Amino acid sequence: MTATDTATLIEDAADRIADISRADLQIMLRRAALLVRNGGTVSMEDDVEDALRDLAGEFGMTRCDAIRFIVREWMEKNTYLPVHHLDEDREFDGNG
């Protein structure tokens, strides 16, 4: 479940608080707590935010996914993470 889905559920529950069960409310609050605990916010300058938003939209990603993608690519290209290379010199028989 995404943060947006959880936020929508919580807003809906707030609108009809008398109708929501205690168990459902506990589940939603625990999900929200996890998202808050694990969702570190990274703020950027306005021009970077604009470029990031455009890139995320172009690739059909969320802002957070775009940041993860960019950081991973940068770390691989700068040898902080191993890069998975294809062995171009090896014969390939098409079976695996």
Side-chain angles (χ1 to χ4, degrees), residues 42-96:
V42 177
S43 59
M44 309 278 181
E45 292 85 20
D46 290 341
D47 59 339
V48 175
E49 283 291 346
D50 291 342
L52 188 57
R53 184 186 59 245
D54 293 344
L55 178 69
E58 190 175 315
F59 286 115
M61 298 176 160
T62 65
R63 178 183 179 276
C64 288
D65 288 340
I67 291 171
R68 281 188 205 98
F69 175 77
I70 292 166
V71 170
R72 173 167 279 285
E73 288 289 311
W74 182 85
M75 291 181 87
E76 285 178 355
K77 288 194 180 351
N78 289 286
T79 66
Y80 292 104
L81 286 175
V83 179
H84 303 286
H85 292 288
L86 295 176
D87 188 2
E88 295 176 5
D89 296 330
R90 197 181 106 209
E91 289 291 322
F92 183 69
D93 63 5
N95 292 324

Side-chain angles (χ1 to χ4, degrees), residues 4-43:
T4 305
D5 295 338
T6 301
T8 302
L9 284 173
I10 293 170
E11 288 171 344
D12 184 49
D15 291 340
R16 54 187 186 83
I17 193 74
D19 300 329
I20 196 105
S21 74
R22 179 182 168 109
D24 287 342
L25 188 56
Q26 283 179 317
I27 291 168
M28 284 186 272
L29 289 173
R30 288 185 194 282
R31 285 181 184 162
L34 282 172
L35 288 170
V36 169
R37 186 178 298 121
N38 296 329
T41 302
V42 177
S43 59

